[in-house]
Amino acid sequence: SQKIEQNSEALNIQEGKTATLTCNYTNYSPAYLQWYRQDPGRGPVFLLLIRENEKEKRKERLKVTFDTTLKQSLFHITASQPADSATYLCALDLFYGGSQGNLIFGKGTKLSVKP
Amino acid sequence: EPEVTQTPSHQVTQMGQEVILRCVPISNHLYFYWYRQILGQKVEFLVSFYNNEISEKSEIFDDQFSVERPDGSNFTLKIRSTKLEDSAMYFCASSARAGGTGELFFGEGSRLTVL
């Protein structure tokens, strides 16, 4: 079955630096891969979606890459701020080709940005 | 901005009792989901619902669970006879598009504590 691994449970960086989070998956490459942000005690909030035929996607200070050869997605936050501190979740389709939005989530990487 | 609302925010129940968690998805969305997150663990898919029927369910979603859309706005998750291990945060989500093709909008969750 498909498994997702996010590189580390916690990542600490200094304000202003670029945070890079990694998401690796096994087995098939999904048609879509998504990134969410989750604050403590809150529901996940969608950030970015990237398709298998897209190498890179950007939104303001966020950038996502998708390498189906490496079976990996990288999520970058440039010019990080303390307000970016949260847990970031990688999610992809449970079944190839996309089923009914049955995303499976990685455990997440907790990002702490220190002033 | 439209949002998914969930009630109650926190419910405490005795083992063996029935629990109903309620959700109001975003009004023009067609796809509805329940996920759960045990404290400190990842967000897990339970069930997806489309066109008034279950489209997919996970191994977690056994006979103790059921979902219903009793009217045009509410979407409910019922746990028939709660167990200690059902203690978790339950998230409802909705989306306008199927599969991983579009973002999922999550509610803030209902925390269930089974004693």
Side-chain angles (χ1 to χ4, degrees):
Chain A
S1 59
Q2 184 73 286
K3 288 194 170 105
I4 302 176
E5 289 176 5
Q6 295 192 241
N7 59 327
S8 57
E9 288 193 8
L11 180 64
N12 300 310
I13 64 167
Q14 207 65 33
E15 183 176 8
K17 300 291 185 188
T18 296
T20 299
L21 286 65
T22 305
C23 174
N24 293 293
Y25 56 90
T26 59
N27 300 341
Y28 64 85
S29 280
Y32 307 88
L33 188 146
Q34 301 186 20
W35 284 87
Y36 287 77
R37 169 183 172 140
Q38 187 176 29
D39 290 285
R42 310 290 295 273
V45 174
F46 172 81
L47 295 174
L48 279 169
L49 177 153
I50 188 164
R51 293 173 175 77
E52 62 180 339
N53 60 350
E54 295 176 318
K55 296 290 184 199
E56 183 181 297
K57 200 86 168 274
R58 290 177 186 259
K59 179 182 172 185
E60 298 171 352
R61 294 184 296 111
L62 309 180
K63 183 177 89 171
V64 172
T65 63
F66 192 4
D67 188 326
T68 55
T69 304
L70 293 178
K71 295 188 177 181
Q72 182 180 83
S73 175
L74 299 179
F75 177 80
H76 306 270
I77 306 175
T78 57
S80 58
Q81 304 163 1
D84 295 326
S85 298
T87 297
Y88 291 85
L89 311 177
C90 168
L92 48 85
D93 279 353
L94 188 61
F95 297 108
Y96 178 74
S99 45
Q100 298 295 322
N102 307 333
L103 297 177
I104 57 170
F105 285 83
K107 201 167 177 193
T109 298
K110 185 175 180 181
L111 175 67
S112 295
V113 181
K114 307 241 183 278
Chain B
E1 185 174 319
E3 59 180 18
V4 175
T5 57
Q6 291 188 241
T7 54
S9 56
H10 189 192
Q11 180 151 2
V12 181
T13 190
Q14 296 290 326
M15 192 168 55
Q17 294 296 305
E18 177 183 282
V19 158
I20 297 177
L21 305 178
R22 291 183 168 79
C23 169
V24 179
I26 293 173
S27 61
N28 62 344
H29 284 183
L30 301 176
Y31 302 89
F32 313 113
Y33 318 89
W34 284 100
Y35 285 79
R36 79 169 186 192
Q37 187 173 33
I38 295 170
L39 190 63
Q41 298 190 25
K42 61 183 178 181
V43 175
E44 298 176 292
F45 168 73
L46 292 178
V47 67
S48 58
F49 193 87
Y50 170 72
N51 200 25
N52 278 322
E53 60 183 20
I54 290 174
S55 38
E56 284 183 75
K57 58 185 180 181
S58 72
E59 293 170 353
I60 303 168
F61 193 88
D62 61 22
D63 293 343
Q64 296 295 323
F65 291 88
S66 63
V67 289
E68 199 176 38
R69 188 155 159 83
D71 52 44
S73 59
N74 291 286
F75 180 50
T76 61
L77 174 70
K78 182 192 290 186
I79 309 175
R80 190 155 53 89
S81 177
T82 49
K83 305 193 260 293
L84 295 175
E85 55 265 36
D86 294 328
S87 294
M89 183 76 100
Y90 288 80
F91 293 110
C92 173
S94 68
S95 64
R97 295 196 296 270
T101 63
E103 62 182 287
L104 265 57
F105 290 79
F106 283 84
E108 292 291 20
S110 293
R111 179 168 297 284
L112 176 64
T113 302
V114 182
L115 303 175

